[in-house]
Each structure stands twice: as C-alpha cells, then as structure tokens.
Amino acid sequence: MNSINYFNSIAKDWNKIRVDYFKDELREIAVNSVDIKEKVIADLGAGTGFISLRVGEEANLVFPIDSSKNMLKELHKSAKDKNLNNIYPIKGSLEDLPLFDNSVDIIFMNMALHHVTNPDVAIKEMNRVLKKDGQLVITDVEKHSGEWASKEMYDVWLGFKHDQLESWYKEAGFINIDVKSTGLIARGESSEGEVIEPKIFIAKATK
C-alpha cells in the first residue's frame, strides 16, 4: 500500500480519525492569518475539506487538490450538503499542480507537506500558480522521532525544521517569510501504543 491507497481506504472515516490528530483550532489559526473574502483559493492536500469547507463560506472560488479520489468524493458530498457551489475538487499531484500560472490569490496546505516526496518542488509549484502578492499558508508538524509514522501513516517526512521551510521558500522566490509555532500539538499513536506529540507550525509567505 502507498499513501494514495491508504487515504482512499480511510476517506469515509477520516473526519473522525482527524479529530484525534489535530484540532479545529488549527483551521482557524490558518484561515484567520489571511483575508479570504472574495479570493480565489487553492487548498493543497485538501483531504475531506478541513480547510476548503471553511474558506468556501467567504471565498469566491476554492480549488481543493488531492491525489486521493475518495477523499475528494467525501469533500464534494460535504460541499453539496452545505450548499457551497464555489468549491471545485481536482485530483492531482502537489508536485505538478493542475492550475494555471498566476491564477490563485491564496494557497493553504494543512498537514499534507510531510506526505510530499519533494517539498521543494511542490513549493516552487505553489509560487508558480500564485498571483503577484499572493499568499501561502502551510501548517504542518515540526521535526519528530516517530519513525513508525512512515510505515503506518505513509509519512515521507517526519516533520520539518523551521529553517528548512525558510530555505525552500527562499529558493522558490517567496518573500515576507514567517515560520513560527502555533502553540498546538498533533497527537499520533502507533498500533503498538507509541505516542508522538509534535508541535505544529504555521509557515506564511508572499509571492
């Protein structure tokens, strides 16, 4: 099994699983860090819509992008239930975004970067699709030692250091880079009961 198959297999239960991993407060920290009103927004690694369904209430258009078709199906159902007609899920790779150059005002990426093989490539892609002065907001876990997450949750990266993010942002051409802790933790538990509680960061930048 790979990460796509893993997330396809748990899509129907993800909203329940996710609550034990990270809290709703994280969404509000991310969303409230920028002005989303009447903007065109991309939500990368969107899953079942943790970010998309919230920003869809105020944004003009929302493009949730994920490699898991089952996750996007769940997102689409939820959007219909909420009568949100401005959300357009797209199946695609985060290292080769299915979006035009200079087409998006804001990009959110929550708890997905650690599943990307080449984060530096993905961040360059984010710069490509953002409009001038567009904003990037990534929330994810800081570096941790829970190696079981690679086998059980198909994590490619065991979190990130702040200077690592800053370096990738600079290489991609971003400015006004700000990486800091949210004060929140992500709790994960292995099948053998090993618990990790890494801190969660928010990494913002402007194109």
Side-chain angles (χ1 to χ4, degrees):
M1 185 181 287
N2 57 28
S3 64
I4 296 174
N5 292 336
Y6 170 70
F7 283 108
N8 276 332
S9 71
I10 64 170
K12 288 186 180 296
D13 299 315
W14 177 245
N15 289 335
K16 294 177 182 177
I17 296 169
R18 189 274 307 163
V19 172
D20 291 330
Y21 185 36
F22 53 89
K23 307 300 182 184
D24 291 352
E25 187 180 352
L26 177 58
R27 173 177 52 219
E28 300 314 308
I29 289 173
V31 173
N32 291 333
S33 71
V34 289
D35 179 10
I36 64 171
K37 291 180 181 177
E38 300 182 2
K39 297 296 198 310
V40 177
I41 293 175
D43 178 17
L44 309 186
T48 56
F50 181 69
I51 296 287
S52 290
L53 297 172
R54 167 67 180 84
V55 298
E57 298 169 1
E58 299 180 57
N60 185 13
L61 293 170
V62 183
F63 297 107
I65 299 174
D66 203 287
S67 55
S68 166
K69 65 180 181 180
N70 289 352
M71 285 285 201
L72 293 175
K73 283 180 182 177
E74 295 299 315
L75 191 162
H76 181 63
K77 286 181 199 170
S78 297
K80 285 185 70 176
D81 290 344
K82 293 176 179 289
N83 293 315
L84 293 172
N85 300 313
N86 58 342
I87 297 178
Y88 298 90
I90 304 172
K91 184 176 181 293
S93 167
L94 305 188
E95 294 182 35
D96 185 17
L97 294 173
L99 295 170
F100 292 119
D101 295 358
N102 310 306
S103 60
V104 174
D105 295 303
I106 301 169
I107 290 175
F108 289 100
M109 186 180 200
N110 179 64
M111 293 296 179
L113 192 66
H114 63 268
H115 287 291
V116 176
T117 303
N118 300 296
D120 57 331
V121 173
I123 290 169
K124 286 174 182 174
E125 274 289 274
M126 296 175 208
N127 187 281
R128 176 183 67 79
V129 304
L130 277 170
K131 298 176 183 177
K132 186 178 184 303
D133 299 321
Q135 294 175 291
L136 171 61
V137 182
I138 294 179
T139 40
D140 212 309
V141 291
E142 299 187 0
K143 189 76 174 171
H144 64 83
S145 58
E147 293 187 11
W148 59 266
S150 298
K151 296 178 182 177
E152 296 191 19
M153 300 180 74
Y154 299 91
D155 292 5
V156 179
W157 295 78
L158 300 180
F160 304 96
K161 294 181 178 180
H162 290 198
D163 58 1
Q164 203 170 26
L165 267 296
E166 290 170 2
S167 176
W168 286 332
Y169 275 27
K170 287 176 184 175
E171 286 175 14
F174 284 100
I175 60 172
N176 302 326
I177 300 165
D178 182 24
V179 185
K180 62 186 178 183
S181 174
T182 61
L184 302 177
I185 61 166
R187 186 183 188 280
E189 184 172 353
S190 75
S191 59
E192 308 223 333
E194 181 183 343
V195 174
I196 55 170
E197 293 186 331
K199 293 178 181 178
I200 301 173
F201 66 80
I202 179 169
K204 287 183 58 184
T206 305
K207 178 172 177 178

Coordinates of all heavy atoms in Angstrom, one line a residue, residues 137-193:
V137 N 0.1 29.7 2.9 CA 0.0 29.4 4.3 C 0.1 27.9 4.5 O -0.8 27.1 4.1 CB -1.4 29.8 5.0 CG1 -1.4 29.5 6.4 CG2 -1.6 31.3 4.7
I138 N 1.2 27.4 5.0 CA 1.4 25.9 5.3 C 1.3 25.7 6.8 O 2.1 26.3 7.5 CB 2.7 25.4 4.7 CG1 2.6 25.5 3.1 CG2 2.9 24.0 5.1 CD1 3.9 25.0 2.5
T139 N 0.5 24.7 7.2 CA 0.6 24.3 8.6 C 0.9 22.8 8.6 O 0.3 22.0 7.8 CB -0.8 24.5 9.3 OG1 -1.9 24.2 8.3 CG2 -1.0 25.9 9.7
D140 N 1.8 22.4 9.4 CA 2.3 21.0 9.5 C 3.1 20.8 10.8 O 3.2 21.7 11.6 CB 3.2 20.7 8.3 CG 3.0 19.2 7.8 OD1 3.2 18.3 8.7 OD2 2.8 19.0 6.6
V141 N 3.6 19.6 10.9 CA 4.3 19.2 12.2 C 5.8 19.5 12.1 O 6.4 19.4 11.1 CB 4.1 17.8 12.6 CG1 2.6 17.5 12.9 CG2 4.5 16.8 11.4
E142 N 6.3 19.9 13.3 CA 7.7 20.1 13.4 C 8.4 18.7 13.5 O 7.8 17.7 13.7 CB 8.0 21.0 14.6 CG 7.3 22.3 14.5 CD 7.7 23.3 15.6 OE1 8.5 22.9 16.5 OE2 7.2 24.5 15.6
K143 N 9.7 18.8 13.3 CA 10.5 17.5 13.3 C 10.3 16.7 14.6 O 10.2 17.2 15.7 CB 12.0 17.9 13.3 CG 13.0 16.8 13.0 CD 13.0 16.4 11.6 CE 14.0 15.3 11.3 NZ 13.9 14.7 10.0
H144 N 10.1 15.4 14.3 CA 9.9 14.5 15.5 C 10.6 13.1 15.2 O 11.1 12.9 14.1 CB 8.4 14.3 15.7 CG 7.6 13.6 14.5 ND1 7.6 12.2 14.3 CD2 6.9 14.1 13.5 CE1 6.9 12.0 13.2 NE2 6.5 13.1 12.7
S145 N 10.5 12.2 16.1 CA 11.2 11.0 16.0 C 10.3 9.7 15.9 O 10.8 8.6 16.1 CB 12.1 10.8 17.3 OG 11.3 10.8 18.5
G146 N 9.1 9.9 15.6 CA 8.2 8.8 15.5 C 8.3 8.1 14.1 O 7.4 8.2 13.2
E147 N 9.3 7.3 14.0 CA 9.6 6.6 12.7 C 8.4 5.7 12.3 O 8.3 5.4 11.1 CB 10.9 5.8 12.8 CG 12.1 6.8 13.0 CD 13.4 6.0 12.9 OE1 13.4 4.9 12.5 OE2 14.4 6.7 13.2
W148 N 7.6 5.2 13.2 CA 6.5 4.3 12.9 C 5.5 5.0 12.0 O 4.8 4.4 11.2 CB 5.8 3.9 14.2 CG 5.2 5.0 15.0 CD1 5.9 5.6 16.1 CD2 4.0 5.7 14.8 NE1 5.1 6.6 16.6 CE2 3.9 6.7 15.8 CE3 2.9 5.6 14.0 CZ2 2.8 7.5 16.0 CZ3 1.8 6.4 14.1 CH2 1.8 7.4 15.1
A149 N 5.5 6.3 12.0 CA 4.6 7.1 11.1 C 4.9 6.9 9.6 O 4.0 6.9 8.8 CB 4.6 8.6 11.4
S150 N 6.1 6.6 9.3 CA 6.5 6.3 7.9 C 5.8 5.0 7.4 O 5.4 4.9 6.3 CB 8.0 6.2 7.8 OG 8.6 7.4 8.1
K151 N 5.7 4.0 8.3 CA 5.2 2.7 7.9 C 3.6 2.7 8.1 O 2.9 2.1 7.2 CB 5.8 1.6 8.8 CG 7.3 1.4 8.6 CD 7.8 0.4 9.5 CE 9.3 0.2 9.3 NZ 9.9 -0.8 10.3
E152 N 3.1 3.3 9.1 CA 1.7 3.2 9.4 C 0.8 4.2 8.8 O -0.3 4.0 8.5 CB 1.5 3.1 10.9 CG 2.1 1.9 11.6 CD 1.7 1.7 13.0 OE1 0.6 2.3 13.4 OE2 2.4 1.0 13.8
M153 N 1.4 5.4 8.6 CA 0.6 6.6 8.0 C 1.2 7.0 6.7 O 0.8 8.0 6.2 CB 0.5 7.7 9.1 CG -0.1 7.3 10.4 SD -0.2 8.7 11.5 CE -1.5 9.6 10.8
Y154 N 2.3 6.3 6.3 CA 2.9 6.6 5.0 C 3.5 8.1 4.9 O 3.4 8.7 3.8 CB 1.9 6.3 3.8 CG 1.6 4.9 3.9 CD1 0.4 4.4 4.6 CD2 2.4 3.9 3.3 CE1 0.1 3.1 4.6 CE2 2.0 2.5 3.3 CZ 0.9 2.1 4.0 OH 0.6 0.8 4.1
D155 N 3.9 8.5 6.0 CA 4.6 9.8 6.1 C 6.0 9.7 5.4 O 6.7 8.8 5.6 CB 4.8 10.3 7.5 CG 3.5 10.7 8.2 OD1 2.5 10.4 7.6 OD2 3.6 11.1 9.4
V156 N 6.2 10.7 4.5 CA 7.5 10.7 3.8 C 8.6 11.4 4.7 O 9.7 11.1 4.7 CB 7.4 11.3 2.4 CG1 8.8 11.4 1.7 CG2 6.4 10.6 1.6
W157 N 8.1 12.5 5.3 CA 9.0 13.3 6.2 C 8.4 13.2 7.6 O 7.2 13.3 7.9 CB 8.9 14.7 5.7 CG 9.6 14.9 4.4 CD1 9.0 14.7 3.2 CD2 10.9 15.4 4.1 NE1 9.8 15.0 2.2 CE2 11.0 15.5 2.7 CE3 11.9 15.9 4.9 CZ2 12.1 15.9 2.1 CZ3 13.1 16.3 4.3 CH2 13.2 16.3 2.9
L158 N 9.4 13.1 8.6 CA 9.0 13.1 10.0 C 9.0 14.5 10.5 O 9.8 14.9 11.4 CB 9.9 12.2 10.8 CG 10.0 10.7 10.4 CD1 11.0 10.0 11.3 CD2 8.6 10.1 10.5
G159 N 8.2 15.4 9.9 CA 8.1 16.8 10.3 C 9.2 17.6 9.6 O 10.0 17.1 8.9
F160 N 9.2 18.9 10.0 CA 10.2 19.8 9.4 C 10.8 20.8 10.4 O 10.1 21.1 11.4 CB 9.5 20.6 8.3 CG 8.9 19.8 7.2 CD1 7.5 19.5 7.3 CD2 9.6 19.3 6.2 CE1 6.9 18.7 6.3 CE2 9.0 18.5 5.2 CZ 7.6 18.2 5.3
K161 N 12.0 21.2 10.2 CA 12.6 22.3 11.0 C 12.2 23.6 10.3 O 12.0 23.7 9.1 CB 14.1 22.1 11.0 CG 14.5 20.9 11.8 CD 16.1 20.8 11.8 CE 16.5 19.6 12.6 NZ 18.0 19.4 12.7
H162 N 12.1 24.6 11.1 CA 11.8 26.0 10.6 C 12.7 26.5 9.6 O 12.3 27.0 8.5 CB 11.7 27.0 11.8 CG 10.6 26.8 12.7 ND1 10.1 27.7 13.6 CD2 9.8 25.7 12.9 CE1 9.1 27.3 14.3 NE2 8.9 26.0 13.9
D163 N 14.0 26.3 9.8 CA 15.0 26.8 8.8 C 14.9 26.0 7.5 O 15.2 26.6 6.4 CB 16.4 26.8 9.4 CG 16.9 25.4 9.8 OD1 16.1 24.4 9.7 OD2 18.0 25.4 10.3
Q164 N 14.5 24.8 7.5 CA 14.3 24.0 6.3 C 13.2 24.6 5.4 O 13.3 24.8 4.2 CB 13.8 22.6 6.7 CG 14.1 21.5 5.7 CD 13.8 20.1 6.4 OE1 13.1 20.0 7.3 NE2 14.5 19.1 5.9
L165 N 12.1 25.0 6.1 CA 11.0 25.6 5.4 C 11.4 27.0 4.8 O 11.1 27.3 3.7 CB 9.8 25.9 6.3 CG 8.7 24.8 6.4 CD1 8.0 24.7 5.1 CD2 9.2 23.5 6.8
E166 N 12.1 27.8 5.6 CA 12.6 29.1 5.2 C 13.4 29.0 4.0 O 13.3 29.8 3.0 CB 13.3 29.8 6.3 CG 12.4 30.2 7.5 CD 13.2 30.7 8.7 OE1 14.4 30.7 8.6 OE2 12.5 31.0 9.7
S167 N 14.3 28.0 4.0 CA 15.2 27.8 2.8 C 14.5 27.4 1.6 O 14.7 28.0 0.5 CB 16.2 26.6 3.2 OG 17.0 26.3 2.1
W168 N 13.5 26.5 1.7 CA 12.7 26.1 0.5 C 11.9 27.3 0.0 O 11.7 27.5 -1.2 CB 11.8 25.0 0.8 CG 12.4 23.7 0.9 CD1 13.6 23.3 0.3 CD2 12.1 22.5 1.8 NE1 13.9 22.0 0.6 CE2 13.0 21.5 1.5 CE3 11.0 22.3 2.6 CZ2 12.9 20.3 2.2 CZ3 10.9 21.1 3.3 CH2 11.9 20.1 3.0
Y169 N 11.3 28.1 0.9 CA 10.5 29.3 0.5 C 11.4 30.3 -0.3 O 11.0 30.8 -1.3 CB 10.0 30.0 1.7 CG 8.7 29.4 2.2 CD1 8.3 28.1 2.0 CD2 7.8 30.2 2.9 CE1 7.1 27.6 2.5 CE2 6.6 29.7 3.4 CZ 6.2 28.4 3.2 OH 5.0 27.9 3.7
K170 N 12.6 30.5 0.2 CA 13.5 31.5 -0.4 C 13.9 31.0 -1.8 O 13.9 31.7 -2.8 CB 14.8 31.7 0.4 CG 14.5 32.5 1.7 CD 15.8 32.6 2.5 CE 15.5 33.4 3.8 NZ 16.7 33.4 4.7
E171 N 14.2 29.7 -1.9 CA 14.6 29.1 -3.2 C 13.5 29.2 -4.2 O 13.7 29.4 -5.4 CB 15.0 27.6 -3.0 CG 16.3 27.4 -2.3 CD 16.5 25.9 -2.1 OE1 15.8 25.0 -2.7 OE2 17.4 25.5 -1.3
A172 N 12.3 29.2 -3.7 CA 11.1 29.3 -4.6 C 10.8 30.7 -5.0 O 10.0 30.9 -5.9 CB 9.9 28.6 -4.0
G173 N 11.4 31.7 -4.3 CA 11.2 33.1 -4.7 C 10.2 33.8 -3.8 O 9.8 34.9 -4.1
F174 N 9.8 33.2 -2.7 CA 8.9 33.9 -1.8 C 9.6 34.9 -0.9 O 10.8 34.9 -0.7 CB 8.2 32.9 -0.8 CG 7.2 32.0 -1.5 CD1 7.4 30.7 -1.9 CD2 5.9 32.6 -1.7 CE1 6.4 30.0 -2.6 CE2 4.9 31.8 -2.3 CZ 5.2 30.6 -2.7
I175 N 8.8 35.9 -0.5 CA 9.3 37.0 0.4 C 8.4 37.0 1.6 O 7.4 36.3 1.7 CB 9.4 38.3 -0.3 CG1 7.9 38.7 -0.8 CG2 10.3 38.3 -1.5 CD1 7.9 40.2 -1.3
N176 N 8.8 37.9 2.6 CA 8.0 38.1 3.8 C 7.7 36.7 4.5 O 6.6 36.4 4.9 CB 6.6 38.8 3.6 CG 6.8 40.1 2.9 OD1 7.8 40.9 3.2 ND2 5.9 40.5 2.0
I177 N 8.8 35.9 4.6 CA 8.6 34.6 5.1 C 8.6 34.6 6.7 O 9.4 35.3 7.3 CB 9.9 33.7 4.7 CG1 9.9 33.7 3.2 CG2 9.8 32.3 5.3 CD1 11.2 33.2 2.6
D178 N 7.6 33.9 7.2 CA 7.4 33.9 8.7 C 7.0 32.5 9.1 O 5.9 32.0 8.8 CB 6.3 34.9 9.1 CG 6.1 34.9 10.6 OD1 7.0 34.6 11.3 OD2 5.0 35.3 11.0
V179 N 7.9 31.8 9.7 CA 7.7 30.4 10.2 C 7.7 30.4 11.7 O 8.7 30.8 12.3 CB 8.7 29.4 9.7 CG1 8.4 28.0 10.1 CG2 8.8 29.5 8.2
K180 N 6.6 30.0 12.3 CA 6.6 30.0 13.8 C 5.6 28.9 14.3 O 4.8 28.4 13.6 CB 6.1 31.4 14.3 CG 4.7 31.8 13.9 CD 4.4 33.2 14.3 CE 3.0 33.6 13.8 NZ 2.7 35.0 14.2
S181 N 5.7 28.6 15.6 CA 4.9 27.6 16.2 C 3.5 28.2 16.4 O 3.3 29.4 16.7 CB 5.5 27.2 17.6 OG 4.6 26.3 18.2
T182 N 2.5 27.3 16.3 CA 1.1 27.7 16.5 C 0.7 27.6 18.0 O -0.3 28.1 18.4 CB 0.1 26.8 15.7 OG1 0.3 25.5 16.2 CG2 0.3 26.9 14.2
G183 N 1.6 26.9 18.8 CA 1.2 26.6 20.1 C 0.4 25.4 20.3 O 0.0 25.0 21.4
L184 N 0.1 24.7 19.2 CA -0.7 23.5 19.2 C 0.2 22.3 19.0 O 1.3 22.4 18.5 CB -1.8 23.5 18.1 CG -2.8 24.7 18.1 CD1 -3.7 24.6 16.9 CD2 -3.6 24.7 19.4
I185 N -0.4 21.1 19.3 CA 0.4 19.9 19.0 C -0.5 18.9 18.2 O -1.7 19.1 18.1 CB 0.8 19.1 20.3 CG1 -0.5 18.7 21.1 CG2 1.7 19.9 21.1 CD1 -0.2 17.7 22.2
A186 N 0.2 18.0 17.5 CA -0.5 16.9 16.7 C -0.2 15.6 17.5 O 0.9 15.3 17.7 CB 0.0 16.9 15.3
R187 N -1.3 14.9 17.9 CA -1.1 13.7 18.6 C -1.3 12.5 17.7 O -2.3 12.3 17.0 CB -2.1 13.6 19.8 CG -1.8 12.4 20.7 CD -2.9 12.3 21.8 NE -2.5 11.3 22.8 CZ -2.7 10.0 22.6 NH1 -3.2 9.5 21.5 NH2 -2.3 9.1 23.6
G188 N -0.3 11.6 17.7 CA -0.3 10.4 16.9 C 0.0 9.2 17.8 O 0.9 9.3 18.6
E189 N -0.7 8.1 17.5 CA -0.4 6.9 18.3 C -0.2 5.7 17.4 O -1.1 5.5 16.5 CB -1.5 6.6 19.3 CG -1.2 5.4 20.2 CD -2.2 5.3 21.3 OE1 -3.0 6.1 21.5 OE2 -2.1 4.2 22.0
S190 N 0.9 4.9 17.5 CA 1.1 3.8 16.7 C 0.2 2.6 17.1 O -0.4 2.6 18.1 CB 2.6 3.4 16.7 OG 2.8 2.7 18.0
S191 N 0.2 1.6 16.2 CA -0.5 0.4 16.5 C 0.0 -0.3 17.8 O -0.7 -1.1 18.4 CB -0.5 -0.6 15.3 OG 0.9 -0.9 15.1
E192 N 1.2 0.0 18.2 CA 1.8 -0.6 19.4 C 1.8 0.3 20.6 O 2.4 0.1 21.6 CB 3.3 -1.0 19.1 CG 3.4 -1.8 17.8 CD 4.4 -3.0 18.0 OE1 5.3 -2.9 18.8 OE2 4.2 -4.0 17.3
G193 N 1.1 1.4 20.4 CA 0.9 2.3 21.6 C 1.9 3.4 21.7 O 1.9 4.1 22.8

